[in-house]
Amino acid sequence: MIRSIKTFCGFLPVLLVVVMSSLLSCKGDDPDPVQEQINKLTATWQLETVINDDVDVSSQFTGFSLTVDGTRYSTQNGGSPWPAMGTYELLPDNLNLIQRDDNTPITITEITTETLVLRFNFSRDGGVREGINGSFTFSLTK
């Protein structure tokens, strides 16, 4: 019996090294947080409400939809604050900040499997003649 214990004790360090090596090499595929956020955004989003400078202007965006496919987007009835199509990038240091290709920063204030709320400021030279300006909050659903 003592011989068995000595054999086991001699084998124990080797066993520990093998187990630790296995655990360290099995770190798995860490999910890319940027890609995870892009996956959450990828969908066709329908309008619930649009608030412009604390005023509900949803009626001016009847039929609005935002379709996100990877890092590309397209819109229907987006008016002046939304181009018909474009690209965006997520900023890796803040996954709730989108930089649209027209240099418009957009903050994701809520994102779930069914809800997306986007907030941004939009202003176009020419003021009211060019369309609606100001602070926007688009509340969208799938």
Side-chain angles (χ1 to χ4, degrees), residues 30-52:
D30 291 334
D32 175 14
V34 172
Q35 188 59 52
E36 283 184 353
Q37 189 75 321
I38 289 170
N39 292 346
K40 287 181 188 177
L41 289 165
T42 299
T44 296
W45 300 93
Q46 305 298 323
L47 183 68
E48 265 200 4
T49 61
V50 180
I51 305 298
N52 176 225

Side-chain angles (χ1 to χ4, degrees), residues 48-65:
E48 265 200 4
T49 61
V50 180
I51 305 298
N52 176 225
D53 293 332
D54 298 322
V55 176
D56 187 333
V57 294
S58 303
S59 64
Q60 296 177 28
F61 292 90
T62 301
F64 175 82
S65 68

